Amino acid sequence: MNVAPPKTLGELFFGFLSIGARSFGGVMPWAHRVMVEERRWVTEADFAETIGLCQFLPGPNIGNASIVYGKRWFGLAGALVAFLGLFALPFVWVLALFALYADFAATNATLRAVVTGVGAAGAGLFIGTAIKLGRVLVRRPAALILITGCFLAAGIGRVSLFVLLPVSFACALLAARRGWL
Amino acid sequence: MTLVELTLYFMLLSLISVGGMPSVLPELQRYAVDVKGWMTPDDFIQVFAVGQAAPGPNVLIASLVGWKVAGLPGALLALAAMCGPAAVLAWWVAEAWDRFKDTPWRRAIQRAIAPVVVALILSGGFILATPAAPDWRLWAIAAASAVGMLISKANPLWFLAAGGAIGGFLLA
């Protein structure tokens, strides 16, 4: 497959704009479609590897990917342009949707109920994602203990992540070094 | 003053947001609802719902929290603060990370992060589905959409829509 990176900053901007504009129900499938299939900026393997890296870095995965690719092709200007292109439309839309919702929600109990239902379904998607990712991990007892412990601390005990993350990550790293994970 | 606090908080949150927005939702809910009282638990699930239903990266939930606390400047600053520090890190780390692809410590880090992120995402889902006292209706909707996404490849928007419809019946 022939791939060629975008030639101009404008092309980069509009590519990421079209990812953000269409990303109903999740950004990642659209990023793949635009960058790999439609515009052929990167190969399948390159895309998978970059996203894999961005998942291990803090911050929004796709936001980080826009920085990494923008930098690779156009340096600082590219990173900024790709990031702005990605967020420009979704930012406006989410605020518009929220403003619209806030206007009606004050007087309309049914709307609040519907939106709470959407929220609960979204919570379910998180739980489903955790199960999907966790299924393979929990075959190792150490991973099961870590997941249970972190869930009890964050979900039930409401421990601050600023405490929980360093502690749990240190434990996990120790376990990983001993080959338990 | 609130704006400064909001910005600083999201900048710190950005640096520990391994796994993205889903992993930090328990922490964000704890801070915005329990510590600061910027919103009620019910408001938080509403903000989350709008953020999930709108197109775009789910980090935009941060800008909705900012919007609720301090209007448009709050929304802009929250988003910039939530993405900025992580973006700077991505800028510096991406190539180095690539170079160390086959080193044992990189593999150890990757294996160590995975279970922690899974637990945090699970906690986020649990907290959102349990805004106050446990409510079987919210849990039922959450369970149904979790099972749905595990057994089908449909666009997640369908599950959000179905959750909204069921919510309209059960919760009104």
Side-chain angles (χ1 to χ4, degrees):
Chain A
M1 195 171 86
N2 279 330
V3 295
K7 288 178 200 68
T8 62
L9 279 174
E11 209 185 324
L12 182 71
F13 179 80
F14 285 109
F16 273 96
L17 196 73
S18 83
I19 294 173
R22 297 189 286 177
S23 55
F24 288 91
V27 190
M28 215 46 92
W30 287 104
H32 180 269
R33 180 140 159 197
V34 170
M35 298 177 68
V36 180
E37 289 166 23
E38 288 178 8
R39 304 199 174 219
R40 294 172 178 256
W41 284 347
V42 295
T43 61
E44 187 80 55
D46 184 336
F47 184 82
E49 201 160 299
T50 305
I51 298 301
L53 159 68
C54 292
Q55 277 164 345
F56 286 106
L57 289 174
N61 301 337
I62 187 66
N64 284 340
S66 73
I67 300 288
V68 171
Y69 279 123
K71 178 191 184 190
R72 188 194 292 175
W73 294 325
F74 297 103
L76 183 58
L80 289 173
V81 160
F83 182 85
L84 289 176
L86 178 67
F87 278 96
L89 293 175
F91 180 75
V92 173
W93 282 344
V94 79
L95 289 190
L97 192 64
F98 193 68
L100 200 68
Y101 153 79
D103 257 7
F104 288 104
T107 52
N108 192 331
T110 313
L111 179 66
R112 268 188 93 81
V114 168
V115 174
T116 302
V118 172
L125 295 180
F126 277 24
I127 294 167
T129 305
I131 293 172
K132 203 184 223 168
L133 297 173
R135 248 184 328 215
V136 270
L137 301 176
V138 294
R139 291 190 203 127
R140 303 268 189 149
L144 185 61
I145 293 167
L146 259 169
I147 292 173
T148 312
C150 285
F151 172 74
L152 289 176
I156 314 278
R158 315 294 287 122
V159 174
S160 169
L161 189 60
F162 292 100
V163 176
L164 178 63
L165 190 75
V167 172
S168 59
F169 183 61
C171 295
L173 206 54
L174 213 67
R177 294 282 304 198
R178 300 199 160 204
W180 294 345
L181 288 178
Chain B
M1 204 50 229
T2 315
L3 264 183
V4 176
E5 200 177 356
L6 185 82
T7 308
L8 287 177
Y9 177 74
F10 275 114
M11 287 177 80
L12 284 176
L13 201 59
S14 175
L15 286 174
I16 60 164
S17 60
V18 180
M21 201 63 197
S23 323
V24 297
L25 273 184
E27 166 62 27
L28 180 57
Q29 203 257 16
R30 186 192 71 86
Y31 191 76
V33 175
D34 298 354
V35 179
K36 284 289 152 191
W38 283 335
M39 52 184 79
T40 65
D42 188 49
D43 285 338
F44 191 81
I45 188 174
Q46 306 263 318
V47 160
F48 166 75
V50 173
Q52 282 289 95
N58 51 15
V59 67
L60 287 165
I61 293 163
S63 61
L64 288 182
V65 172
W67 171 274
K68 235 179 136 52
V69 174
L72 188 59
L76 281 167
L77 280 173
L79 183 63
M82 187 68 210
C83 295
V88 172
L89 204 66
W91 171 275
W92 290 114
V93 168
E95 278 145 31
W97 189 252
D98 235 23
R99 256 200 317 279
F100 296 122
K101 197 187 288 178
D102 298 314
T103 56
W105 60 264
R106 182 182 140 168
R107 265 177 275 137
I109 290 178
Q110 290 189 331
R111 275 203 302 273
I113 284 177
V116 176
V117 167
V118 165
L120 292 176
I121 296 175
L122 189 66
S123 307
F126 174 77
I127 285 166
L128 284 161
T130 321
D135 181 334
W136 69 268
R137 295 169 299 180
L138 295 180
W139 281 5
I141 295 172
S145 87
V147 171
M149 81 149 270
L150 284 170
I151 60 173
S152 88
K153 286 196 160 175
N155 187 308
L157 275 185
W158 292 111
F159 300 117
L160 298 184
I166 300 170
F169 278 112
L170 285 182
L171 302 166

